[in-house]
Amino acid sequence: EKAGYDYFMLKEIAEQPKAVADTLLGRIDASGRLTLDEVRIDAHTLREIDKIVIVACGTAFHAGMIAKYAIEHWTRIPCETELASEFRYRDPILDPRTLVVAISQSGETMDTLMALRHAREQGSKVLAICNTNGSTIPRESDAVLYTHAGPEVAVASTKAFLTQLVACYLVALYLGQVRGTKWGDEIYTVVRELSDIAKQVDQVLETMEPVRELARSLKDKNTVLFLGRHVGYPVALEGALKLKELAYMHAEGFAAGELKHGPIALIEDDLPVVVVVPSPRGRSVLHDKIVSNIQEIRARGARTIVIAEEGDETVVPYADHLIRIPATPTLLQPLVATVPLQVFACELATARGNEVDQPRNLAKSVTVE
Ligand code: F6R
């Protein structure tokens, strides 16, 4: 069943281009319009929504954090993303004009299920983004957009994450289309690039040997830090989560702008720090800020592992290791930037002799609160 791979996780990482393409299939027509007829929430209701709340756990929560940037930018609807396990215990403000989006690979995560039940009790509509047909979360939601990752066996989520991102982008773009917000050239460019993104994921997968080599060389380290800004911040959190669960290493993700507010004190000689660099095009201010962050940590001895777009030469002098990813629109970058981090964590876990598909203390679906 592992189709020649040593682990399901490796197989599932390799399946990502197909998972992404399958999740897009039939949902964008030739003219670049989104056809999400399966989202059975009528256009009137979608136009009346004045707030979106995303609830999810773990890796799905990171997809939700990225979705917030996309939704607010493309639809101008205020959006918040909250850990499902925290949500209902703080008496959240919900009403029929709030759309709650529950993201779950398994569709059985109890924290997420309880959050959506709470939302529906308050009269909000719930849209599930889910990978498992007929599971509890979509059954209890008003509508569902399925991700087409296929079965994910490894406990650590990889291809499900990329397809959750795709589904989130589709929802954001669809809301923009239905509501007529910002539906201009920028959106058409994004839709085009999204239709093409599977090829870029494939391209990343073909250049992973140096990442594996680097991972093996770090197997005796105790700590790895991850930094990012904007959508690179949730990517950093996801890179850290993968490393914790697979390599059992201390790994933390930070918003790079927060460094000077505390975390920079952690930097010491030869500490590996992975930095996700946003595209120098588009939001170039962010790019320049992160380049200075890289300089700051390197001056304090960090070993910098820089993930940057092809053609971005400004980072070269400050990168002890440089991982190249294809150029994409800023908001779509997580689809390509996460892949090296998955490979990195998987290879480190293997080098440390850990069980990759079944990390200690973890279960694939968490059906208790
Ligand atoms: C991490 C991981 C978990 C899940 C989380 C939510 O690799 O797999 O963090 O993402 O338990 O699970 P689902 O998406 O099934 O609700």
Side-chain angles (χ1 to χ4, degrees), residues 120-328:
R120 292 195 78 199
E121 278 162 19
Q122 313 296 310
S124 299
K125 289 264 187 270
V126 176
L127 168 66
I129 291 177
C130 185
N131 195 47
T132 312
N133 256 300
S135 56
T136 312
I137 287 172
R139 268 194 282 118
E140 294 205 15
S141 299
D142 296 283
V144 53
L145 184 65
Y146 279 108
T147 50
H148 295 157
E152 192 179 62
V153 177
V155 166
S157 190
T158 54
K159 62 176 180 170
F161 176 69
L162 259 60
T163 62
Q164 283 161 355
L165 287 177
V166 168
C168 289
Y169 294 132
L170 288 172
V171 167
L173 293 166
Y174 183 63
L175 284 169
Q177 177 178 292
V178 171
R179 297 163 64 100
T181 29
K182 277 200 137 189
W183 197 254
D185 287 350
E186 185 203 336
I187 305 275
Y188 279 117
T189 308
V190 167
V191 170
R192 237 192 353 264
E193 302 249 1
L194 186 60
S195 315
D196 241 27
I197 202 89
K199 278 188 222 127
Q200 289 169 321
V201 176
D202 202 36
Q203 210 176 308
V204 178
L205 286 170
E206 276 165 21
T207 56
M208 287 296 96
E209 196 40 48
V211 174
R212 282 190 279 268
E213 217 170 280
L214 170 65
R216 288 192 292 270
S217 76
L218 298 176
K219 81 172 182 16
D220 297 320
K221 292 284 180 190
N222 297 316
T223 300
V224 180
L225 302 183
F226 295 77
L227 301 178
R229 297 187 85 112
H230 192 261
V231 291
Y233 168 44
V235 171
L237 295 178
E238 175 61 9
L241 179 62
K242 284 283 144 327
L243 203 59
K244 283 174 212 165
E245 61 183 339
L246 293 160
Y248 317 148
M249 288 167 86
H250 171 226
E252 270 194 87
F254 299 110
E258 272 294 294
L259 265 183
K260 57 186 174 301
H261 300 290
I264 199 163
L266 291 168
I267 306 293
E268 55 185 22
D269 205 34
D270 211 34
L271 178 78
V273 184
V274 179
V275 189
V276 184
V277 179
S279 166
R281 303 161 296 116
R283 291 171 187 72
S284 58
V285 190
L286 277 183
H287 174 271
D288 298 350
K289 291 216 159 116
I290 214 158
V291 174
S292 8
N293 293 142
I294 301 173
Q295 288 171 259
E296 282 155 17
I297 56 171
R298 199 153 183 268
R300 289 162 180 81
R303 176 158 11 152
T304 58
I305 302 165
V306 175
I307 303 184
E309 206 171 82
E310 273 151 18
D312 179 357
E313 297 307 321
T314 50
V315 294
V316 174
Y318 316 111
D320 294 308
H321 307 272
L322 186 53
I323 301 170
R324 287 298 191 185
I325 52 174
T328 56

Side-chain angles (χ1 to χ4, degrees), residues 57-60 103-107 109 155-157 164 241-242 245 366:
C57 304
T59 288
I103 310 175
S104 176
Q105 187 287 127
S106 62
T109 301
V155 166
S157 190
Q164 283 161 355
L241 179 62
K242 284 283 144 327
E245 61 183 339
V366 185

